[in-house]
Amino acid sequence: MILKAELHCHIEGAAAPDLVERQAQKYGADVSGFIADGAFIWHDFTSFLAAYDAAANLFRDENDYARLAEHYLTSLAREGAIYAEFFTSPDHAERAGLSPAAYTAGLAEGMRRAKAKTGIESRMIVTGVRHFGVESVEAAARFATRCGEPLVTGFGMAGEERFGQAEDYVRAFEIAREAKLGITVHAGEFGGWESVQDALDHLKPARIGHGVRAVENAELVRRIAQEGIVLECCPGSNVALNVFDGFDNHPFPRLLAAGCKVTLSSDDPPYFATSLAREYDFARQHFGLDAKALNAITRTAIEAAFVDKKTKAALLARLPAMK
Ligand code: ADE
Ligand code: ZN
């Protein structure tokens, strides 16, 4: 089995419909507005975000989150993952009535349980939600820097990228950078190449979540390659959300050929009928990547991981040698 690494998955978006239904039973809630026949109901990005928010609202205490992280990471390990980073959202926890500290402690407990069971190494990236506004994204950044949880190693921003300007969020990213957190930001998914350029110019991330619409501007693609910016690509998500009209039109192979550092991730797997292993399969089937090329993708991901040097070296040593 190819060893894999995940850099881009939203923990609330990793909860499968059956787990969400169990949570709904626990809290006496009705899921008929966003789950039908064992699947999430959505038809575009806005309705996807609404279903996602509704599902997230059913994880309400520390133990709910411990189970969610344990469940996600153990199934990822079964797919061959040796490392995973996932996005956390203190705003979603607060909306569900839980403090960001208890939320993060619960997730950390789930990470420890998954590691004890499977050996999978993992870290958290605290995110702000762009369309919740500048104040809440800055609060998320402050939380990330002060929470004291060593498994939090990154800061990012998700949500509706067409909301506001990248420039508005400079302070949030400065707070995170000053605390030496790894920086990633969603851009170039529903916004075009300009959104990627704005994110690079103003927020100075090491990685971009998606970033795939950069392909619309050849000069920007050259810049991404030259500066070694890593694009956390999630082709299954992009095709499900109709960012591209099928895998054959997905720019992953063009970005790779242009020398950009690209990785493969699952984003919100049960919403998009995907998984990390499926993303690797899509790349094999649709983008022509063989085992050697897939191993190189995993290596790129681990090299770009927001993890201490010693752990990174140990993870890299587990990968097959580059021939
Ligand atoms: N939050 C969860 N999934 C997301 C996505 N694909 N884009 C932006 N924000 C998200
Ligand atoms: Zn995402």
Side-chain angles (χ1 to χ4, degrees), residues 21 76 92 134 143 163 165 171 174 261 269 282 291 322:
E21 280 176 329
L76 206 57
H92 281 87
V134 171
F143 171 73
F163 181 94
Q165 302 295 320
R171 182 72 200 123
E174 276 174 4
K261 291 184 180 176
F282 295 147
M322 296 274 269

Side-chain angles (χ1 to χ4, degrees), residues 114-284:
K115 185 172 175 183
K117 272 191 186 165
T118 68
I120 190 167
E121 195 69 65
S122 61
R123 296 293 184 272
M124 289 182 267
I125 300 172
V126 172
T127 58
V129 180
R130 186 167 177 150
H131 58 272
F132 291 175
V134 171
E135 278 301 311
S136 86
V137 177
E138 289 180 8
R142 281 193 297 275
F143 171 73
T145 63
R146 292 184 192 154
C147 68
E149 171 51 64
L151 295 175
V152 168
T153 55
F155 177 71
M157 183 164 70
E160 174 51 81
E161 71 171 289
R162 294 163 291 193
F163 181 94
Q165 302 295 320
E167 218 178 332
D168 304 337
Y169 298 91
V170 165
R171 182 72 200 123
F173 283 83
E174 276 174 4
I175 291 167
R177 208 177 357 266
E178 277 163 20
K180 306 256 183 303
L181 292 172
I183 305 287
T184 176
V185 55
H186 281 61
E189 181 191 23
F190 287 96
W193 67 269
E194 298 92 339
S195 170
V196 178
Q197 181 166 280
D198 285 350
L200 291 177
D201 287 347
H202 297 293
L203 308 178
K204 302 181 175 50
R207 307 187 333 216
I208 297 265
H210 300 287
V212 280
R213 301 267 306 266
V215 79
E216 296 161 5
N217 182 311
E219 201 174 316
L220 180 60
V221 171
R222 275 195 294 278
R223 174 181 174 189
I224 289 168
Q226 245 164 29
E227 294 183 9
I229 305 293
V230 174
L231 304 180
E232 303 156 3
C233 296
C234 311
S237 160
N238 294 155
V239 170
L241 284 166
N242 215 18
V243 175
F244 300 100
D245 190 10
F247 289 104
D248 294 341
N249 295 320
H250 196 280
F252 185 96
R254 278 172 280 158
L255 293 164
L256 181 61
C260 297
K261 291 184 180 176
V262 287
T263 66
L264 289 165
S265 286
S266 69
D267 209 8
D268 306 281
Y271 289 83
F272 307 138
T274 192
S275 66
L276 185 61
R278 286 188 127 203
E279 296 296 324
Y280 275 66
D281 284 345
F282 295 147
R284 194 192 284 271

Side-chain angles (χ1 to χ4, degrees), residues 50-64:
Y52 175 100
D53 288 349
N57 190 253
L58 295 170
F59 291 83
R60 297 183 179 172
D61 68 22
E62 214 168 307
N63 206 32
D64 290 344

Side-chain angles (χ1 to χ4, degrees), residues 295-323:
N295 280 315
I297 297 290
T298 303
R299 184 170 290 274
T300 299
I302 291 180
E303 283 169 352
F306 299 152
V307 73
D308 60 278
K309 276 193 187 144
K310 189 166 163 236
T311 309
K312 188 177 289 196
L315 289 164
L316 287 171
R318 292 181 62 187
L319 301 182
M322 296 274 269
K323 276 181 236 121

